[in-house]
Amino acid sequence: MSTVRLLVLGTILRRGVTHGYGVHQDLTSWRADTWTSVKPGSIYHALEKLEAQGMIMPADSGNPAKLGPSRTEYMLTEQGKTEFQTLLENALKSNDLQQLAAGIAFMEMLPRQHVISILEERLIPLNQSVAFLKTLPTEPIPSDPSKHPELVGMWIGYMEYVVSATRKLLQSLHAGKYKFIDEITDGGGEPS
Amino acid sequence: MSTVRLLVLGTILRRGVTHGYGVHQDLTSWRADTWTSVKPGSIYHALEKLEAQGMIMPADSGNPAKLGPSRTEYMLTEQGKTEFQTLLENALKSNDLQQLAAGIAFMEMLPRQHVISILEERLIPLNQSVAFLKTLPTEPIPSDPSKHPELVGMWIGYMEYVVSATRKLLQSLHAGKYKFIDEITDGGGEPS
DNA sequence: GTTCATCTAGTCAAATTTGAATAGATAGGT
DNA sequence: ACCTATCTATTCAAATTTGACTAGATGAAC
């Protein structure tokens, strides 16, 4: 659920103001048949909950619905922005690839150094997991699934992949790739 | 949901006859803090549904509850065995690691050649996915998440890992590792 | 100028999952 | 004998997700 929340808050934030269908469109256009599958129902449910919790509020963008039935547009409250950052940080800490992917999708909305330190801290428990998995005993003819060499081997491999993907991402960030929220220079310095 | 169903049917089948708590115990003991997280509620719900659908039926193992409140024990019906095989085949075809892992956990309950051919067919769409992901355009400063090099790269890497894990598993199977249901020779031939 | 296909926008019931609570039984200490 | 900690086994309400459905608007074809 926190994935849906993160995605909904993030898309609204990117657009400033938008409605349920707009969120759905963005999300479905973003997913290249991978990393998400958010059904309309989940989005509208998330919107209701987020509104009830004061994370978002109805708003009016200039453009009135040109097509189709009427819509409700939303924007984030201050509380919603805080919640978004919290969820984003958690996603970047997650061992689950879907979560991590959602985190990466929005990572530029946190300061570069902040993202770097989250990812670096993430490596510690991740490496511990790998080390732990490697201590698990296996049997050539496993008496139960937890001792199956293929199963255990697959998870070790998966975790190692997550580690290497994280390392690679860190390198890009250290190398200065991408533009983070703290690096926006809109080409002209401040107005006097 | 079909993961829970598969796990529940599979555990009952391994034990012959067992009850909800028994399933829970097996599952929690098998998960080495990885590949599953099945809450009691889901198990009992799955049991009810499976019984309503005629996949399992109440049964009586010899050993009456020694401890705690009374329990309901179940065994698979013929229909349940068929359903188990279907779910197992689907799990082995799945691109989702959790599903695949559940499939591997029980794979010895299908004939070796059958598993081999499922896994080999699996490689085709998997490779297509990788190829497709590689055609996706990316931008150094992505205008939207679907064009983020890190995101796209991470999914390519993940899919490639799934491919290589599948290949490795196939090698083991071709090499004759593990004992499959069609290879059980209980050390003594048939009774005359 | 009306029908049809399609895009837009959202609703709803049913299925499923979660997390916490309930409650029986026994074993061990005092 | 009684208390209580712990293991056994299940139940339940609430949260969440799914999938299918409803329904407004437009434009293009006829």
Side-chain angles (χ1 to χ4, degrees), chain A residues 59-81:
Chain A
D60 205 346
S61 74
N63 47 331
K66 308 205 162 118
L67 230 50
S70 73
R71 26 156 108 163
T72 312
E73 302 196 292
Y74 296 98
M75 61 182 293
L76 295 221
T77 60
E78 279 312 307
Q79 222 198 124
K81 290 179 191 169

Side-chain angles (χ1 to χ4, degrees), chain B residues 91-117:
Chain B
L92 287 170
K93 287 172 191 165
S94 165
N95 279 15
D96 177 56
L97 264 202
Q98 320 256 252
Q99 290 266 130
L100 180 58
I104 293 176
F106 295 116
M107 68 177 176
E108 283 99 336
M109 292 183 162
L110 292 176
R112 179 184 299 266
Q113 282 310 319
H114 192 164
V115 174
I116 288 179
S117 51

Side-chain angles (χ1 to χ4, degrees), chain A residues 82-110:
Chain A
T82 309
E83 173 74 355
F84 171 69
Q85 290 190 8
T86 309
L87 290 173
L88 181 46
E89 285 163 16
N90 290 338
L92 287 169
K93 286 172 193 165
S94 166
N95 278 14
D96 177 56
L97 263 203
Q98 321 254 254
Q99 290 266 130
L100 180 57
I104 293 176
F106 295 116
M107 70 177 172
E108 283 100 334
M109 292 184 162
L110 291 176

Side-chain angles (χ1 to χ4, degrees), chain B residues 89 92-93 107-122 169-183:
Chain B
E89 285 164 14
L92 287 170
K93 287 172 191 165
M107 68 177 176
E108 283 99 336
M109 292 183 162
L110 292 176
R112 179 184 299 266
Q113 282 310 319
H114 192 164
V115 174
I116 288 179
S117 51
I118 289 174
L119 291 176
E120 269 164 1
E121 275 178 43
R122 183 185 143 63
L169 176 53
L170 273 168
Q171 273 178 27
S172 297
L173 298 192
H174 280 303
K177 289 192 187 169
Y178 317 118
K179 282 256 171 291
F180 284 73
I181 199 168
D182 55 333
E183 299 163 344

Side-chain angles (χ1 to χ4, degrees), chain A residues 7 39 65 69 124 131 134 141 167 190:
Chain A
L7 292 172
K39 309 295 163 65
I124 299 165
K134 287 187 173 170
I141 307 290
R167 289 233 170 84
E190 285 141 60

Side-chain angles (χ1 to χ4, degrees), chain A:
Chain A
M1 194 243 164
S2 56
T3 306
V4 181
R5 279 169 83 87
L6 173 61
L7 292 172
V8 168
L9 287 175
T11 7
I12 298 178
L13 202 48
R14 273 178 74 89
R15 294 210 170 256
V17 169
T18 194
H19 49 101
Y21 188 68
V23 171
H24 180 62
Q25 290 222 295
D26 276 10
L27 292 183
T28 45
S29 90
W30 290 354
R31 142 222 87 188
D33 264 81
T34 347
W35 77 278
T36 19
S37 153
V38 206
K39 309 295 163 65
S42 307
I43 293 170
Y44 290 101
H45 170 69
L47 286 173
E48 277 166 33
K49 268 220 81 181
L50 287 167
E51 184 180 0
Q53 295 174 338
M55 302 296 179
I56 59 179
M57 54 187 279
D60 205 346
S61 74
N63 47 331
K66 308 205 162 118
L67 230 50
S70 73
R71 26 156 108 163
T72 312
E73 302 196 292
Y74 296 98
M75 61 182 293
L76 295 221
T77 60
E78 279 312 307
Q79 222 198 124
K81 290 179 191 169
T82 309
E83 173 74 355
F84 171 69
Q85 290 190 8
T86 309
L87 290 173
L88 181 46
E89 285 163 16
N90 290 338
L92 287 169
K93 286 172 193 165
S94 166
N95 278 14
D96 177 56
L97 263 203
Q98 321 254 254
Q99 290 266 130
L100 180 57
I104 293 176
F106 295 116
M107 70 177 172
E108 283 100 334
M109 292 184 162
L110 291 176
R112 181 184 297 265
Q113 280 310 316
H114 192 162
V115 174
I116 289 179
S117 51
I118 288 173
L119 292 176
E120 268 164 1
E121 273 178 43
R122 182 185 143 65
L123 284 175
I124 299 165
L126 220 42
N127 280 317
Q128 282 170 0
S129 294
V130 174
F132 168 70
L133 286 175
K134 287 187 173 170
T135 66
L136 291 180
T138 61
E139 298 167 352
I141 307 290
S143 59
D144 82 54
S146 69
K147 294 177 185 129
H148 205 301
E150 301 296 337
L151 210 41
V152 176
M154 201 170 81
W155 285 108
I156 293 176
Y158 170 70
M159 286 293 188
E160 285 177 340
Y161 171 62
V162 177
V163 169
S164 80
T166 306
R167 289 233 170 84
K168 195 177 142 235
L169 176 54
L170 273 168
Q171 274 178 27
S172 297
L173 298 192
H174 281 304
K177 289 191 187 168
Y178 317 116
K179 281 257 170 290
F180 284 73
I181 199 169
D182 56 333
E183 297 163 345
I184 292 169
T185 63
D186 48 346
E190 285 141 60
S192 69

